[in-house]
Amino acid sequence: MGVLLLFALFFMSKSSPAIACDQGGESRLKTYIVHLKEPESGVFAESENLEGWYKSFLPARIATSKQQERMVYSYRNVLTGFAVRLTEEEAKEMEAKEGFVSARPEKIYHLHTTHSPSFLGLHKRSGLWKGSNLGKGVIIGVMDSGILPSHPSFGDEGMPPPPAKWTGSCEFNKSGGCSNKVIGARNFESGSKGMPPFDEGGHGSHTASIAAGNFVKQASVLGNAKGTAAGIAPGAHLAIYKICTDGGCAGADILAAFDAAIADGVDVLSVSVGQKSTPFYDDAIAVGAFAAIRKGILVSCSAGNYGPTSASVGNAAPWILTVGASTIDRSIRASVKLGNGEKFDGESLFQPSDFPPELFPLVYSPYFCSAGTVNVADVEGKVVLCDSDGKTSITDKGRVVKQAGGVAMIVANSDLAGSTTIALEHVLPASHVSYSAGLSIKAYISSTSHPTASITFEGTIIGEPSAPEVIFFSARGPSLATPGILKPDIIGPGMNILAAWPTPLHNNSPSKLTFNLLSGTSMSCPHLSGVAALIKSSHPDWSPAAIKSAIMTTADILNLKDSPILDQTEHPASIFAIGAGHVNPLRANDPGLIYDIQPDDYIPYLCGLGYNDTQVGLITLRTVRCSEESSIPEAQLNYPSFSIALKSKARRFQRTVTNVGNPKSSYTVHITAPPGVDVTVKPHKLHFTKRNQKKTYTVTFKRSSSGVITGEQYAQGFLRWVSATHSARSPIAVKFE
């Protein structure tokens, strides 16, 4: 699996691996997800009775003897319905049955650390590890590509037995399988049912160890990033639900994994999987996540890797914690020095001990160093500068250059990727440099008849003051599915993250790695899942929305040098890139105020999106009549951020905060108004006399003539409630219409 795991959805139905035809032999079978109306309460206490009722909806043409093999899943928790293999004609035939709601072909979703816990401040004496007991007693469910349970990151030294509430199961053989760390593991991946949920791609083991890997001393990748590896919540238990292969993750399998995880008793679900924006009622992750939060389970999801394109964010339902990706302050440095003395920092996992630091002839290959474009006569014995094009992988470029006789390679980013560099394993000495560095190197080549360059491999460097920065591929808002909710919610470490790698299953790899560095929102998501587990351990009575609010309102918007967080262009990052900001775990454990939301509070919001009664019911698993509900605009939801569209008329919204800090405390509002907007808050002070007391305030947004930036469609600002000991900040995004 590649280092940058792209987040993409192919809008297609997944056919059965075998060629299967209907009785007429005309159509291949597809997996359909069938939704039914909720039956009367208590009618189906036994799963056998429920499955029998589901089968009664199957077309009569399907023989009774064939029904069981056609059924894929019978759902109990995430929806009223089932997954079944049908032809298009058979699916159509079911529509006449009373109680039938819909049948849609399933969609295919795709998969989107020694230092990051330290970067987040978890290890300090006053850090959250101490205050949360490392997350002990909390169960993190990971829905991914499986796990290698024998990896040292999943050892159970110091782990207590699973909590009494745990009811899950283990599908590994007894030897080398589940333990007090990996307490459950099940395989829902359609193509390998009946097989143990081993991780064949590496993605699942990597994400699981980021969330809750145990301590492993002397971890490194090819001698780089040495240290003690640990997950964000190393004391938490892991429950594994395999739903993916390298080819994707089926919607029916995703729903089945949610169904099982809810029944098993997990506390947090980590889902580094997704698709592009789609209505929530037609999104398996959104539907499954809503069922999970109804049971008090926080769901953390990757925002996707389609950045820096605007409106590319996925997993944007407001009941999901949507996580973007940022850098940490560590790099695996491979610096480039030119013949004119200029020096540029790059990155590489290739750290040769015998590569001379001398200057070699330097040449630029203008065709991206793709196969068939590099001539031996042009590059033999030279350092070759290649452009990154997003088509030929960086490591493949290295193979092309080496084959043609090049001694080393410099890969320069595109303007889209900007300053984001990735530490990769190469087949020859190489350095990945920024777009601006690439421009300077090209200018130098053009300026002299004998350009030269050298690469010096400096190894692991810690303390990059510009960290965290937003990574170029991290998906951006605004959300297409719900523009009135600011997404992503938060950013966290997702670049060059060291975590577990299932070496025994990768015998064809060029090196036998026990750990690997990967990059993507797939990596940032489990960081936040781990943080949520730590907070859950400290505050077991907090709802998913309360934990999410605590993470968002305490986030950082400044980097290590106290400057605004930058994006890949080296300019201040947009609110649609960072959301509330970069996670600060210690502050999140003591936020002072929280914005809580109960599951039923989302119903008026869903009605306000324009969904009909049936569509809302598919999500909420209850009968809904939007004509009788108090439908609200999206921005009226009691969310910890604001995203509004503003015309000439003023808009007014309410928020309710709950005091979880000092019993007797007073908060004063501080406003950083978006340019061109007047923001008024009433009351401007909130006084609390006890914990868990609630107070409501009103915010009015009105266009103003001052401060408007000509030609700008969006503006951003902040609203902070500040007491003597706490500060709760809500970001504000305004679209001018």
Side-chain angles (χ1 to χ4, degrees), residues 429-676:
S431 179
H432 182 194
V433 301
S434 69
Y435 173 65
S436 61
L439 292 179
S440 296
I441 296 171
K442 290 172 194 173
Y444 162 69
I445 292 173
S446 300
S447 70
T448 177
S449 57
H450 299 288
T452 57
S454 66
I455 301 178
T456 303
F457 298 93
E458 302 176 33
T460 305
I461 305 295
I462 292 176
E464 172 54 55
S466 64
E469 293 184 15
V470 181
I471 306 170
F472 86 92
F473 55 73
S474 185
R476 267 57 165 185
S479 164
L480 295 178
T482 178
I485 300 294
L486 180 61
K487 291 285 181 170
D489 293 308
I490 197 80
I491 57 173
M495 173 58 71
N496 296 332
I497 303 301
L498 183 146
W501 195 245
T503 302
L505 299 180
H506 287 77
N507 293 324
N508 294 324
S509 296
S511 58
K512 306 302 180 185
L513 302 176
T514 305
F515 293 89
N516 205 357
L517 293 177
L518 298 185
S519 301
T521 55
S522 281
M523 283 66 253
S524 54
C525 166
H527 276 87
L528 269 295
S529 305
V531 170
L534 295 177
I535 297 172
K536 182 72 174 179
S537 182
S538 295
H539 305 282
D541 58 331
W542 280 12
S543 70
I547 295 173
K548 179 176 171 180
S549 171
I551 290 171
M552 292 174 64
T553 60
T554 58
D556 291 324
I557 57 173
L558 301 178
N559 59 23
L560 294 181
K561 56 184 179 182
D562 289 330
S563 299
I565 292 175
L566 305 177
D567 63 17
Q568 77 287 346
T569 68
E570 300 297 321
H571 291 93
S574 159
I575 203 168
F576 292 119
I578 66 172
H582 189 273
V583 60
N584 185 315
L586 182 60
R587 284 211 302 262
N589 198 45
D590 183 22
L593 301 176
I594 57 171
Y595 295 78
D596 208 357
I597 306 174
Q598 299 305 311
D600 281 352
D601 295 341
Y602 293 105
I603 294 175
Y605 156 81
L606 290 168
C607 291
L609 281 179
Y611 294 172
N612 61 37
D613 296 351
T614 298
Q615 292 164 343
V616 176
L618 294 178
I619 300 168
T620 61
L621 278 184
R622 52 163 279 192
T623 301
V624 172
R625 293 182 177 84
C626 284
S627 60
E628 299 175 8
E629 300 283 347
S630 54
S631 177
I632 61 171
E634 298 164 78
Q636 186 63 36
L637 187 68
N638 199 45
Y639 213 66
S641 60
F642 295 86
S643 182
I644 65 168
L646 196 58
K647 299 181 180 179
S648 57
K649 187 178 179 181
R651 300 195 69 185
R652 185 176 292 107
F653 302 100
Q654 279 191 340
R655 290 291 189 271
T656 298
V657 291
T658 303
N659 178 31
V660 294
N662 302 325
K664 293 184 178 180
S665 54
S666 296
Y667 287 80
T668 302
V669 71
H670 292 229
I671 299 169
T672 303

Side-chain angles (χ1 to χ4, degrees), residues 65 88 96 104 119 124 163 178 193 205 217 247 286 360-361 506 642 659 688 703 720 725:
S65 61
E88 187 176 346
R104 292 187 176 89
F119 180 65
K124 296 178 181 177
C178 294
K193 279 186 182 177
S205 298
K217 294 181 179 179
F360 289 90
H506 287 77
F642 295 86
N659 178 31
F688 296 93
R703 295 192 71 158
R720 289 190 304 140
T725 54

Side-chain angles (χ1 to χ4, degrees), residues 25 62 121 156 180 186-187 232 240 279 282 294 324 374 384 417 500 531 615 623 663:
I62 300 176
D156 65 352
N180 285 337
R186 297 182 64 183
N187 186 3
I232 301 303
I240 304 302
D282 195 27
R294 288 171 64 224
V374 180
V384 183
V531 170
Q615 292 164 343
T623 301

